[in-house]
Amino acid sequence: MRLKIFTAAILLSAGLHAQNQTEAGSFPVMTEIPAGYFWMGSRGWGHDYDEAPVHKVRISECFRMSITEITNAQYEEFRPEHKALRGKNGFSTGDDEAVVNVSFHDAMEYCRWLSEKTGSSYRLPTEAEWEYACRAGTYTLYYTGDGLPGPMQKHQQTERDLVSVSLKVMQSEPNAFGLYDMHGNVEEWCY
């Protein structure tokens, strides 16, 4: 699971034959991620000590990834009862917010359901695919550079009373591969 903030969401990966458009607004819009390589890992300092050493990773085949996290509206077509969890702890109330309160198994079931519904093969991205897609050809801490611009910084306040922030998708500029919210919105499950 890639750490951002809040609770895990779903970002899909699929083969090139997966559809690239929404059907009645219900299926995720996908974009092609080209094959290539990147440097994965850390120098082993601080809280990233378990990601050492830095090593070269090749993504040998292009693939498709959803341009945003899966939204409440998309997920609830699969599991309508999830609507009862909207707003739990003050998070993710709108149709166009990233779905949260989803377990790894829920995410896997959603991928299976979407595959059956569309006839295309969907799955969660691997950690390497996620990081490669997130970096989008950059070598800095974030695809935006060594820091995050203000609008991408979600400052949830928990000092005394929880002050939640919006989890609406597509609120920041996309990276070079056309992916939104890869930093600063929610955690995302990886395969």
Side-chain angles (χ1 to χ4, degrees), residues 18-111:
Q19 60 195 47
N20 190 29
Q21 302 173 24
T22 60
E23 181 178 303
S26 60
F27 299 126
V29 175
M30 309 293 280
T31 190
E32 186 171 317
I33 308 299
Y37 72 91
F38 73 109
W39 293 95
M40 185 175 184
S42 75
R43 293 187 178 108
W45 301 326
H47 66 277
D48 292 331
Y49 72 93
D50 60 341
E51 295 183 8
V54 174
H55 56 286
K56 187 176 184 177
V57 174
R58 175 167 292 287
I59 304 297
S60 57
E61 295 182 17
C62 53
F63 60 97
R64 290 179 117 25
M65 187 175 272
S66 57
I67 65 171
T68 68
E69 293 116 343
I70 302 307
T71 64
N72 283 317
Q74 291 168 332
Y75 186 77
E76 288 162 4
E77 285 195 32
F78 156 64
R79 191 161 279 160
E81 65 273 17
H82 181 272
K83 195 163 191 165
L85 295 175
R86 281 203 203 184
K88 183 178 179 185
N89 299 322
F91 300 117
S92 192
T93 58
D95 283 351
D96 59 354
E97 291 189 68
V99 65
V100 297
N101 298 311
V102 174
S103 72
F104 175 77
H105 297 291
D106 293 335
M108 295 293 285
E109 285 298 315
Y110 176 78
C111 292

Side-chain angles (χ1 to χ4, degrees), residues 121-141:
S121 178
Y122 289 87
R123 63 176 173 79
L124 298 174
T126 65
E127 184 177 6
E129 287 170 336
W130 187 96
E131 188 169 337
Y132 173 72
C134 178
R135 289 182 177 278
T138 64
Y139 293 96
T140 53
L141 290 175

